[in-house]
Amino acid sequence: MAIAKPSNAVPFLTAPPCQSSKLAGAETGFDPLYLSEFIDLKWAREAELKHGRICMLAAPGYFFQEFFQLPGFPGYSPNGIEAVSSVSPEALAQVGDEVASRLFTSIVNHASAAFSEG
């Protein structure tokens, strides 16, 4: 069974709409999830650039905190094991309870919205 218009990148799939968009790089046709059918390709490219720039700013910040500390935080340790063991068990339980309750609330809200729609 032949495909009417195969994708350039994935020949066993039909060509996504982005393949004919005349944007640079889109002619390869790599869109196996067919996201370009319901998401504007120009918007997706702009979002990717913005997120990439934020990540480029975050990467040096990750290393910066290893070598410098803010005044007023004398007990900081970059070692994750020491950081967890320095917190009291009561505080860890409180954080765990808060996360569990928020997760349960979001699941209930999602389920009730799904049932009320249809």
Side-chain angles (χ1 to χ4, degrees):
M1 186 159 138
I3 297 173
K5 185 178 178 189
S7 171
N8 293 340
V10 190
F12 54 86
L13 296 176
T14 58
C18 70
Q19 188 168 325
S20 61
S21 66
K22 305 292 187 228
L23 290 171
E27 69 275 356
T28 59
F30 186 75
D31 188 11
L33 299 177
Y34 297 103
L35 295 175
S36 61
E37 288 183 0
F38 56 90
I39 295 177
D40 181 28
L41 202 56
K42 290 181 182 180
W43 177 84
R45 286 178 175 219
E46 184 178 336
E48 185 176 359
L49 284 173
K50 286 181 181 180
H51 290 122
R53 289 175 182 156
I54 289 171
C55 289
M56 285 188 278
L57 288 172
Y62 179 77
F63 296 109
F64 184 82
Q65 69 180 352
E66 292 291 325
F67 302 110
F68 301 99
Q69 72 179 24
L70 295 172
F73 294 102
Y76 170 74
S77 171
N79 185 347
I81 302 299
E82 290 177 9
V84 171
S85 63
S86 67
V87 178
S88 68
E90 294 84 13
L92 285 176
Q94 183 179 5
V95 169
D97 290 343
E98 181 68 24
V99 169
S101 67
R102 286 180 186 237
L103 181 64
F104 177 74
T105 304
S106 66
I107 290 172
V108 168
N109 288 341
H110 180 69
S112 64
F115 285 123
S116 64
E117 287 177 3

